[in-house]
Amino acid sequence: MAIFIDTSTRLLVQGLTGREGGFHAFRNRDYGTNLVAGVTPGKGGTDVSGVPVFDTVSEAVAATGANTVMTFVPPPFAADAVLEAAASDGIDLIVCITEGIPAQDEARMFNYIKQTSDVALLGPNCPGVISPGKASVGIMPHEITLEGRVGVVSRSGTLTYQAVHELTTRDIGQSTCVGIGGDPVPGTSFVDCLERFQADDETEAIVLIGEIGGDAEEQAAVFISETVTKPVVAYIAGFTAPPGKKMGHAGAIISGSSGTAIAKQEALEAVGVTVVTYPTQIGEAVAALL
Amino acid sequence: MDLFEYQGKSLFARVGVPVPEGRIATTPAEARSAAQDLGGSVVVKAQVQVGGRGKAGGIKMAADHHEAEALAAEILGMDIKGHTVNSVWVEQATEIAAEWYLSFTLDRGAKRHMAMCSARGGMDIEGVAAEDPDAVVRLHIDPVVGMANWQAMELVYRAKLDRGAARKAAAAVRALYGAFVELDCDLVEVNPLILTADGDVMALDSKVSLDTSAFFRHPDFPAFREAFDEDPLEQMARERGLNFIKLEGSVGIIGNGAGLVMSTLDVVSLVGGAASNFLDVGGGAGADTITNALEVLTKDPTVRSVLINIFGGITRCDLVAQGIVEALAGLDLPWPLVVRLDGTNAVEGRAILADAASDKVIPAATMLEAAEKAVELAGGN
């Protein structure tokens, strides 16, 4: 089964005609993802290496049956592009890779989508999602993944890779690896992913990678205690980050006493989650639980 | 990006919220002539990007321009929580009938805007919130709809602000909410928002944090930086598009991705060292990005070893290795470099470094091994 994407994924890329968008879209296709369309206003009727490009998302969906959108649109226009994708019938997942979308745009975009549609939004500012052996949507290096039964969810891109690498080098495969992004208003939360992993027959254990700022890990802890029966291993980054400093992710800001790494670790440990100290321990901790 | 009080107030004035008239001064003589211009009694206020100025003695009343000059001489150069006072804001003193608290921020848990308001404004709002949580009224606002008039009125009534001034207070609340949204702020805080003796509502302070991601909509905002006393290393890094924060230790850190870099700081600390900085080269770093990052670290005399931790995704390890080789050739690197490369083109990257055969470059297979070596080379702090 996997979560979010699998062999039934039909991918539409907003910004396929751009350098980055094109590069990663075709890497996703080479991995086996069914890339069906691109959308760039004004370039409708053209194609990129045989993939048809449309002016609008609704046109592209009608012509190709796309059900998943990946957004590679510059920050000033990204929220608008995501709203267009959300308004198109037939789209059930939007993966927004764009980094640097203003927080006010994100807050409006998130709330509007929740109020007007059932579409799942992953990101913005996320590395995407990969279901090894099935499909990849985003910028993750698929070479380090291995098909298997551990679900990985993370707020940080490169730490996701680190975690996946620790699993793969121990021959532990993954069902799906999800990067939810580090922005203050992520479209998909840890809880959303935990819910999907819990319901997924192909997932036996879950790895959760958190970091300082916000209360997403604390919310995850509550959800785990109430709903998740599968074993969970967690790692939290930012124990030595000085308070009040912004370390790149707009989300990783410590405000007051909440949001610290130690508070998150304690919340997760209190509900039976194995929290490891070094990222290199993720693999052995999962191996011990399987 | 945190603004000085007077910069925030200039934004308040822009959206029609009254603020006292004032002038900026960087010397006691300037403070004196500012006070003379304004006439009457004035308040001399330290301009620093940190709270708690009042308690630290950075805000003082002056009866006239002579006293303003003397107070400015005291306050300028003062250290407030590690921030040096380089300028003071001299403003007309206002007769206060009531002091309130008002703020707007994003509630990340609820994913909505949150307004907070209290009739007990003044210096210690955190103390008030801790001792009597009901004294600080919280209200969520749907970012899609914005703040309705009734919500502003409800906030004002629930917070028990003076009833006679309710409409004026609500108008200020909505105007400040407008500033929060339209000017792309992460935070707008006014403590105190006051009722003057004449029955007007006025912002006597400002704490405004701007969202730098939205600067493309506000071309005049980057100029606020010119008034800041930015750390020269942080400034150099920012101008090169690097995300850099100076820390206290001796192991220089370069990595890709904020999460991985934060994790690297933690691992360095766990093996007994301390990082001298946080430096994230971001996604898709080229050779020149790495050279730039290394050059920034050469300007930091506290660095004794450098740890480069890269997990390639969009970033290609071969380009990172090329950047290191270019830096070895073009810069006089005073310290050893421990390099850990994994992910996209890691094999090619490691080969490039092996070919360079520099005794300054020490390869490491894992993040933990890299941290141990870097800490050892830094002399264990």
Side-chain angles (χ1 to χ4, degrees):
Chain A
M1 237 169 73
I3 70 170
F4 288 118
I5 58 168
D6 54 29
T7 50
S8 69
T9 296
R10 297 177 65 80
L11 181 64
L12 177 164
V13 177
Q14 293 175 309
L16 181 70
T17 53
R19 193 173 56 92
E20 290 282 308
F23 176 77
H24 291 288
F26 284 98
R27 260 177 66 87
N28 291 167
R29 188 176 75 167
D30 292 345
Y31 186 68
T33 312
N34 192 5
L35 173 65
V36 297
V39 169
T40 305
K43 295 199 175 160
T46 63
D47 74 276
V48 181
S49 307
V51 177
V53 175
F54 300 84
D55 289 320
T56 66
V57 174
S58 60
E59 227 183 323
V61 170
T64 65
N67 55 20
T68 300
V69 169
M70 174 161 70
T71 308
F72 259 105
V73 173
F77 319 106
D80 188 62
V82 168
L83 289 175
E84 183 193 356
S88 306
D89 286 335
I91 298 297
D92 45 42
L93 174 68
I94 302 165
V95 179
C96 182
I97 307 295
T98 307
E99 177 178 0
I101 300 178
Q104 296 287 359
D105 291 6
E106 274 185 33
R108 260 192 305 272
M109 175 175 91
F110 174 88
N111 282 283
Y112 186 77
I113 290 175
K114 288 287 166 222
Q115 289 160 21
T116 57
S117 76
D118 295 322
V119 68
L121 169 66
L122 195 58
N125 188 15
C126 80
V129 53
I130 181 165
S131 295
K134 301 184 178 76
S136 173
V137 174
I139 62 176
M140 290 202 210
H142 54 73
E143 300 84 355
I144 59 169
T145 64
L146 176 71
E147 195 169 351
R149 308 182 72 84
V150 175
V152 178
V153 59
S154 168
R155 277 167 73 184
S156 151
T158 41
L159 264 185
T160 317
Y161 312 161
Q162 179 71 42
V164 170
H165 174 74
E166 299 296 343
L167 294 172
T168 298
T169 51
R170 286 177 174 268
D171 229 21
I172 302 170
Q174 305 91 41
S175 53
T176 301
C177 310
V178 192
I180 61 174
D183 277 5
V185 192
T188 294
S189 66
F190 278 140
V191 169
D192 299 327
C193 294
L194 289 169
E195 194 174 5
R196 287 179 189 248
F197 278 135
Q198 174 65 25
D200 177 29
D201 295 340
E202 289 182 3
T203 300
E204 279 175 14
I206 302 163
V207 172
L208 184 150
I209 314 286
E211 63 187 34
I212 51 168
D215 65 349
E217 292 77 7
E218 286 85 344
Q219 289 188 12
V222 172
F223 185 80
I224 288 167
S225 73
E226 289 167 353
T227 313
V228 178
T229 56
K230 298 176 181 179
V232 182
V233 169
Y235 171 76
I236 308 288
F239 278 85
T240 50
K245 291 275 191 178
K246 213 170 176 174
M247 296 224 166
H249 288 175
I253 307 166
I254 303 183
S255 44
S257 58
S258 69
T260 60
I262 190 79
K264 292 171 187 302
Q265 178 182 359
E266 283 168 0
L268 288 164
E269 279 177 344
V271 299
V273 173
T274 307
V275 183
V276 297
T277 312
Y278 294 93
T280 43
Q281 293 167 327
I282 292 166
E284 55 192 277
V286 173
L289 289 171
L290 284 178
Chain B
M1 186 175 91
D2 296 339
L3 296 184
F4 284 133
E5 173 200 358
Y6 77 93
Q7 296 174 323
K9 280 180 168 169
S10 73
L11 297 180
F12 291 175
R14 231 194 254 189
V15 297
V17 173
V19 293
E21 203 188 327
R23 310 264 188 281
I24 195 78
T26 55
T27 65
E30 280 175 25
R32 175 198 169 101
S33 70
Q36 210 158 7
D37 262 11
L38 296 165
S41 57
V42 294
V43 188
V44 182
K45 307 177 85 176
Q47 298 301 293
V48 279
Q49 290 147 300
V50 66
R53 290 174 302 162
K55 276 182 206 159
I59 300 178
K60 295 265 169 69
M61 277 282 283
D64 59 21
H65 56 278
H66 298 293
E67 201 182 349
E69 182 175 15
L71 289 174
E74 265 174 47
I75 295 171
L76 285 165
M78 189 183 257
D79 178 283
I80 299 178
K81 294 183 183 168
H83 294 245
T84 307
V85 181
N86 291 318
S87 63
V88 290
W89 177 243
V90 182
E91 74 179 14
Q92 254 164 4
T94 316
E95 260 191 86
I96 300 171
E99 289 186 277
W100 307 322
Y101 171 88
L102 176 70
S103 70
F104 295 101
T105 184
L106 175 74
D107 179 347
R108 293 170 48 164
K111 299 183 170 72
R112 293 178 160 226
H113 294 152
M114 185 158 75
M116 285 194 274
C117 186
S118 175
R120 294 174 60 189
M123 275 211 266
D124 189 20
I125 190 67
E126 279 175 45
V128 171
E131 157 212 323
D132 181 10
D134 291 342
V136 181
V137 174
R138 293 168 170 80
L139 183 85
H140 278 126
I141 301 157
D142 183 344
V144 176
V145 182
M147 188 176 213
N149 188 46
W150 68 266
Q151 286 181 304
M153 292 301 287
E154 177 168 308
L155 192 69
V156 164
Y157 285 127
R158 269 177 54 202
K160 300 191 172 63
L161 306 193
D162 303 57
R163 294 180 58 84
R167 285 193 185 277
K168 275 187 182 169
V173 165
R174 289 190 75 197
L176 289 163
Y177 176 76
F180 170 66
V181 174
E182 299 302 324
L183 304 179
D184 286 288
C185 304
D186 290 331
L187 171 73
V188 167
E189 185 179 71
V190 192
N191 189 24
L193 181 70
I194 62 154
L195 181 64
T196 67
D198 301 333
D200 287 323
V201 173
M202 195 178 246
L204 226 54
D205 189 20
S206 88
K207 206 179 263 178
V208 173
S209 189
L210 299 175
D211 177 4
T212 52
S213 293
F215 277 8
F216 65 84
R217 284 201 279 256
H218 310 286
D220 52 329
F221 284 1
F224 282 131
R225 270 200 191 103
E226 288 161 17
F228 299 169
D229 181 27
E230 201 175 5
D231 177 281
L233 280 175
E234 294 191 3
Q235 185 183 349
M236 179 182 177
R238 182 173 52 73
E239 284 165 2
R240 292 167 181 227
L242 303 167
N243 185 1
F244 174 92
I245 295 168
K246 180 77 187 93
L247 302 171
E248 303 297 318
S250 60
V251 181
I253 309 283
I254 296 173
N256 64 324
L260 186 68
V261 181
M262 275 195 280
S263 171
T264 310
L265 305 187
D266 289 350
V267 173
V268 163
S269 158
L270 284 165
V271 300
S276 68
N277 68 276
F278 167 101
L279 197 164
D280 172 15
V281 295
D288 54 333
T289 318
I290 300 298
T291 318
N292 271 327
L294 285 166
E295 191 173 357
V296 169
L297 295 194
T298 61
K299 309 290 181 200
D300 179 356
T302 64
V303 175
R304 282 189 283 176
S305 70
V306 169
L307 163 47
I308 300 183
N309 187 16
I310 302 289
F311 209 114
I314 326 191
T315 307
R316 287 167 43 187
C317 291
D318 54 328
L319 295 182
V320 171
Q322 250 173 47
I324 294 171
V325 171
E326 281 165 27
L328 286 167
L331 299 169
D332 185 20
L333 300 182
W335 14 250
L337 281 170
V338 180
V339 184
R340 180 269 179 144
L341 301 174
D342 256 314
T344 310
N345 293 359
V347 175
E348 293 85 338
R350 291 183 207 128
I352 290 169
L353 291 182
D355 285 347
S358 163
D359 53 6
K360 278 196 179 146
V361 177
I362 297 107
T366 69
M367 190 163 153
L368 182 55
E369 185 194 325
E372 283 167 348
K373 284 183 173 168
V375 170
E376 192 193 322
L377 288 164
N381 290 290

